[in-house]
Amino acid sequence: MKKQIFLQNMFSERKNSDIDKLVNDALKAEPDYFLPDNFADMVAEKVAEKFAWQQYVLEFLIYFGVVIGLAAVVVAMQFIFFGAQWQNWLHFITENIFVIAGISLLTVFVLFTDKVLLKYFLYRSAHSKELI
Amino acid sequence: MNDKDLVQQVLNGNKNAFRFLVANHQRLVIHIVGRIIQNKEDIEDICQEVFIKVFRKIKHFRGDSRLSTWIARIAYNTSISHIRKYQKDEQSYDENPAIVAGHTNGEPNHKSLERKEAKQFLLEKIEQLPVHYRTVLTLYHLEEFSYKEIEEITEMPEGTIKSYLSRARKILKEKLEKVVENEKTNIFTEYV
């Protein structure tokens, strides 16, 4: 009787440790998910493209800020040192609003094209040649 | 190259350094994302999203923890946000009482359960556990993070993590024992 209980306990302990071993193995087993072999290259390219775009936009904004800043300094100097009258300026602006708006838009467009679009497309075309 | 040097290289705009970072951590990220998301079609996109976030936020990496812990945290948060957004109805996001109690169906009907099948059976059961259980199991057993690191990644208290781990293990054991009892298989004597 004692022997039977001993054997039962032994079998139960062994079964328990085997189940533990199986559970441990399953928990450490690699799940069945895969990424493509070129995943790292793909992500690095995507990020580099985003990074380049952000850099170009930042550069454009810096240039734009500098141009606006310079214009503001010139206007301020006109008022402070040369006694310019704001009514005259307002009159001039309202009379030539379309010309002023057109020139401003054209300047911004040229600056944007030069600093962002052109660089970005050059980057992309260089990159697509690299891939070929 | 240590974590700080690698981060510095990435911050300097070195594309190869970032490629190296992705290659070194993609296994970790896919394990976390895969275990949480489960929809195989979404996994690759979310892994990409994780690494793009890593790139954007890398300037905030202070080096207080390992880089892998920091990346794992981003992967965890991105995956949880994804299932909150797109899988609101997924039962296993919260603790499904039936799953936690181990009363779900789906045990195999095989006459005898072979060793490999037992492992596969357990892997399937892991996938059916509630999301927080799967996450801590993956981080602890597969990625071998410490409790402290898992706490950092998931923001769960250490006690909760320990409880999830032990309950998940208990559920898996019970499921396997149930199958063993039902099928009267002798795989375990062969397994050793």
Side-chain angles (χ1 to χ4, degrees):
Chain A
M1 183 66 182
K2 270 187 179 177
K3 194 183 170 189
Q4 238 180 355
I5 293 169
F6 172 75
L7 284 173
Q8 262 181 352
N9 283 345
M10 206 177 77
F11 177 75
S12 154
E13 272 172 28
R14 186 171 177 190
K15 197 180 87 176
N16 252 335
S17 85
D18 292 343
I19 286 181
D20 271 331
K21 197 169 187 292
L22 252 179
V23 171
N24 272 340
D25 282 357
L27 290 173
K28 288 189 182 299
E30 289 274 328
D32 189 21
Y33 323 123
F34 299 102
L35 286 172
D37 292 339
N38 63 343
F39 179 76
D41 294 326
M42 222 162 61
V43 175
E45 281 310 325
K46 251 190 188 174
V47 163
E49 208 167 282
K50 271 182 189 261
F51 183 67
W53 179 256
Q54 280 172 4
Q55 286 292 107
Y56 300 152
V57 171
L58 186 70
E59 210 174 297
F60 162 73
L61 289 176
I62 290 169
Y63 270 90
F64 189 67
V66 168
V67 170
I68 295 287
L70 280 176
V73 168
V74 170
V75 170
M77 280 171 69
Q78 288 290 324
F79 281 104
I80 294 166
F81 299 113
F82 302 102
Q85 295 293 314
W86 68 269
Q87 288 94 339
N88 296 345
W89 283 54
L90 190 66
H91 181 70
F92 175 78
I93 291 170
T94 44
E95 270 199 349
N96 303 287
I97 186 75
F98 292 110
V99 178
I100 293 170
I103 290 173
S104 305
L105 281 176
L106 192 67
T107 310
V108 171
F109 177 72
V110 168
L111 195 65
F112 187 78
T113 307
D114 181 47
K115 294 292 163 201
V116 182
L117 291 180
L118 211 59
K119 280 188 178 178
Y120 184 69
F121 287 125
L122 282 174
Y123 169 87
R124 287 199 67 162
S125 85
H127 169 65
S128 60
K129 270 178 198 165
E130 257 175 45
L131 284 181
I132 293 163
Chain B
M1 193 187 285
N2 64 28
D3 285 352
K4 276 192 172 172
D5 291 339
L6 183 60
V7 169
Q8 195 50 54
Q9 288 290 322
V10 174
L11 285 172
N12 291 343
N14 183 341
K15 200 166 83 180
N16 286 333
F18 187 69
R19 188 179 289 135
F20 181 73
L21 183 149
V22 176
N24 272 2
H25 293 90
Q26 67 182 55
R27 180 184 165 276
L28 163 73
V29 170
I30 196 176
H31 285 166
I32 296 172
V33 172
R35 275 275 157 82
I36 297 176
I37 300 292
Q38 294 190 310
N39 181 2
K40 288 189 175 176
E41 287 161 13
D42 294 340
I43 290 176
E44 192 183 328
D45 289 343
I46 293 167
C47 287
Q48 275 196 27
E49 194 184 325
V50 168
F51 282 112
I52 289 170
K53 278 187 185 170
V54 165
F55 183 78
R56 271 195 205 141
K57 294 180 176 179
I58 204 158
K59 55 180 175 284
H60 302 301
F61 175 71
R62 296 189 305 262
D64 299 340
S65 57
R66 284 193 295 158
L67 184 60
S68 53
T69 312
W70 186 75
I71 292 175
R73 188 176 175 168
I74 293 177
Y76 172 77
N77 288 334
T78 309
S79 309
I80 292 291
S81 304
H82 181 87
I83 54 171
R84 277 191 184 139
K85 202 170 170 187
Y86 297 107
Q87 298 176 14
K88 279 181 184 160
D89 299 331
E90 191 190 324
Q91 236 184 349
S92 64
Y93 172 68
D94 292 316
E95 289 184 25
N96 179 337
I99 296 171
V100 177
H103 297 320
T104 52
N105 292 323
E107 272 74 22
N109 296 319
H110 310 143
K111 192 128 195 177
S112 69
L113 193 68
E114 297 299 332
R115 193 181 74 184
K116 270 187 185 170
E117 285 174 336
K119 201 166 159 182
Q120 192 54 42
F121 168 74
L122 283 171
L123 281 172
E124 281 167 21
K125 292 296 151 194
I126 292 171
E127 301 293 342
Q128 288 170 10
L129 289 171
V131 68
H132 294 312
Y133 285 49
R134 301 195 303 261
T135 309
V136 292
L137 282 178
T138 308
L139 293 171
Y140 187 77
H141 290 286
L142 201 57
E143 301 303 330
E144 299 179 339
F145 281 114
S146 65
Y147 293 127
K148 183 100 187 74
E149 286 171 320
I150 300 175
E151 196 181 338
E152 254 179 67
I153 294 166
T154 59
E155 291 180 348
M156 292 177 202
E158 194 173 317
T160 309
I161 294 164
K162 284 180 180 166
S163 151
Y164 281 162
L165 280 171
S166 91
R167 281 158 78 185
R169 176 179 275 274
K170 197 175 160 219
I171 291 167
L172 294 173
K173 270 182 79 173
E174 280 172 5
K175 283 183 180 292
L176 199 57
E177 276 168 356
K178 206 170 152 191
V179 175
V180 171
E181 293 303 321
N182 287 347
E183 308 297 336
K184 293 187 179 14
T185 173
N186 62 348
I187 52 160
F188 300 108
T189 49
E190 288 166 12
Y191 186 64
V192 185

